[in-house]
Amino acid sequence: MNEITIERGETEQMSASVGKRLKALRAMHGLSQRELARRAGVTNSAISMIEQDRVSPSIDSLTKVLAGFPVTMIEFFSMEPEQEEKIFYAEDELVEMSDGTMSVRLVGAAKKDRKMRVLHEKYPPHGDTGEKMIVQEGEEAGVIIRGQLEITVGNEIKVLNAGEAYYFNTEIPHRFRNPGDEECEVVSAATPPSF
Amino acid sequence: MNEITIERGETEQMSASVGKRLKALRAMHGLSQRELARRAGVTNSAISMIEQDRVSPSIDSLTKVLAGFPVTMIEFFSMEPEQEEKIFYAEDELVEMSDGTMSVRLVGAAKKDRKMRVLHEKYPPHGDTGEKMIVQEGEEAGVIIRGQLEITVGNEIKVLNAGEAYYFNTEIPHRFRNPGDEECEVVSAATPPSF
DNA sequence: TCTGGGCGATAAATAAAATGAACAATACAA
DNA sequence: TTGTATTGTTCATTTTATTTATCGCCCAGA
């Protein structure tokens, strides 16, 4: 096998950005290297070296460092060094995803790499997500604002009224229906976002 | 300072079970230490030592090892079981998290290992999350149902009215305030859940 | 202008992890 | 039985990470 002589660190794959991640995370929390070092029980030098990607920290030391925030290992690796984007949305800026019958407005459509799908929904009288049950990996929750919503989850059915709420795993087949003669208004959130 | 002589590995916190995790993962895949080592491009000795928790692997080498399956760092640290739970919540079943001034009701409080924090909030006139800005890892979104809500995110401030919405990263310092004389009703979602 | 303190980076010394070459224990075939 | 793999482990050595002690820089305050 013809090996190429490489600079240290070239093998890095996902851990390539450990330094950048840590630096960004520290900036977000407004801590200096020394302050973080003190909280984490390591030296500022170690943090300096890690942030420059001049070393690949051991699980032990990275765990210690992250505990200084505190942030878990999972959160750390899930974190995407991101930046600026749209924050506020006027009612007509919410992306309309109407399928003809009901009104569905997506919050944060402009946001790249969203971790949730938040919707402002309006079911017309007798509006329905359809006969065939929905199945997706993830979780969904919502609050009924106005009117009534019949929710079927697995073999459970319930009509929720204004002020009531739900939270379930979307792997279970489910369906939403407005059984009343009045429009039903709902705000829901789901993760991970299916769109 | 009176140090206690400790066995190596006593400092371990969350990384304490790295060895067990790896061993279990390898068993699941039916690989020998040497076979995994070959795929991962490390030595079998390293894997042996890691599985015995006699060393704390560097991010570099653990990444290499996990690539042999392949399994991501996140998946590795996420390995856990799950179960069933409550789906529907009456209005008075939403867990009240009032801090005196404003009404905050948590959807899905009973659900273990929730990935979101969905709230039905009611800000009294001039209700406020306080002077000191909130900073947390994650994302938050919401829809204004009734009244007005002034939201400060970083150095941006905006008053949102009924039907308007927001979506932003909670690492950016932020604050919520009801500037009006009317109660403000909001449904919000955040991930990961802070409680 | 000087001083002191905090900042991040660095060099040399030390501690720890990864390698390479063994080892004993097991299993299985000749 | 013997021989030959394969398993996981151990140890000496090499390589890498972390600490200790500094450096130069910038800035607030005397």
Side-chain angles (χ1 to χ4, degrees), chain A residues 109-156:
Chain A
K111 184 171 168 66
K112 288 296 168 199
D113 207 25
R114 271 181 295 121
K115 294 189 185 58
M116 297 187 294
R117 187 209 63 206
V118 174
L119 299 175
H120 191 183
E121 304 173 80
K122 288 177 184 170
Y123 290 79
H126 310 293
D128 195 338
T129 55
E131 289 290 340
K132 49 177 184 291
M133 305 284 264
I134 303 167
V135 179
Q136 267 157 344
E137 187 71 21
E139 301 179 6
E140 171 155 354
V143 177
I144 316 305
I145 302 304
R146 190 164 45 81
Q148 292 189 316
L149 189 63
E150 178 198 270
I151 307 184
T152 308
V153 179
N155 44 22
E156 297 186 66

Side-chain angles (χ1 to χ4, degrees), chain A residues 88-108:
Chain A
F88 305 110
Y89 297 82
E91 185 159 10
D92 65 356
E93 284 178 329
L94 298 181
V95 175
E96 176 73 40
M97 319 207 67
S98 159
D99 66 341
T101 63
M102 66 196 215
S103 163
V104 178
R105 295 172 194 279
L106 176 64
V107 176

Side-chain angles (χ1 to χ4, degrees), chain A:
Chain A
M1 212 188 212
N2 221 331
E3 285 290 341
I4 300 172
T5 306
I6 54 177
E7 297 276 352
R8 282 202 53 242
E10 180 136 351
T11 326
E12 301 168 18
Q13 311 126 19
M14 170 178 174
S15 74
S17 58
V18 165
K20 293 187 195 68
R21 283 171 191 246
L22 179 57
K23 194 162 189 170
L25 185 59
R26 186 171 58 80
M28 282 171 199
H29 288 253
L31 298 178
S32 68
Q33 290 182 346
R34 284 177 151 89
E35 172 61 14
L36 173 59
R38 197 187 53 70
R39 295 194 191 187
V42 299
T43 61
N44 62 301
S45 321
I47 292 175
S48 176
M49 299 294 270
I50 293 168
E51 288 190 355
Q52 295 172 79
D53 282 321
R54 292 177 50 167
V55 298
S56 175
S58 72
I59 296 292
D60 255 15
S61 41
L62 184 56
T63 302
K64 277 197 226 168
V65 170
L66 297 183
F69 288 117
V71 159
T72 69
M73 198 67 84
I74 297 171
E75 286 164 351
F76 181 73
F77 283 109
S78 305
M79 185 184 96
E80 304 250 352
E82 289 182 37
Q83 276 316 333
E84 289 313 309
E85 50 231 326
K86 188 165 178 56
I87 297 177
F88 305 110
Y89 297 82
E91 185 159 10
D92 65 356
E93 284 178 329
L94 298 181
V95 175
E96 176 73 40
M97 319 207 67
S98 159
D99 66 341
T101 63
M102 66 196 215
S103 163
V104 178
R105 295 172 194 279
L106 176 64
V107 176
K111 184 171 168 66
K112 288 296 168 199
D113 207 25
R114 271 181 295 121
K115 294 189 185 58
M116 297 187 294
R117 187 209 63 206
V118 174
L119 299 175
H120 191 183
E121 304 173 80
K122 288 177 184 170
Y123 290 79
H126 310 293
D128 195 338
T129 55
E131 289 290 340
K132 49 177 184 291
M133 305 284 264
I134 303 167
V135 179
Q136 267 157 344
E137 187 71 21
E139 301 179 6
E140 171 155 354
V143 177
I144 316 305
I145 302 304
R146 190 164 45 81
Q148 292 189 316
L149 189 63
E150 178 198 270
I151 307 184
T152 308
V153 179
N155 44 22
E156 297 186 66
I157 303 187
K158 189 158 172 52
V159 175
L160 298 181
N161 292 287
E164 300 188 307
Y166 63 91
Y167 199 128
F168 63 89
N169 287 327
T170 49
E171 304 134 8
I172 309 169
H174 53 283
R175 173 186 188 179
F176 299 90
R177 197 172 75 84
N178 177 2
D181 293 326
E182 184 197 345
E183 185 177 68
C184 176
E185 185 178 355
V186 179
V187 173
S188 71
T191 184
S194 50
F195 51 80

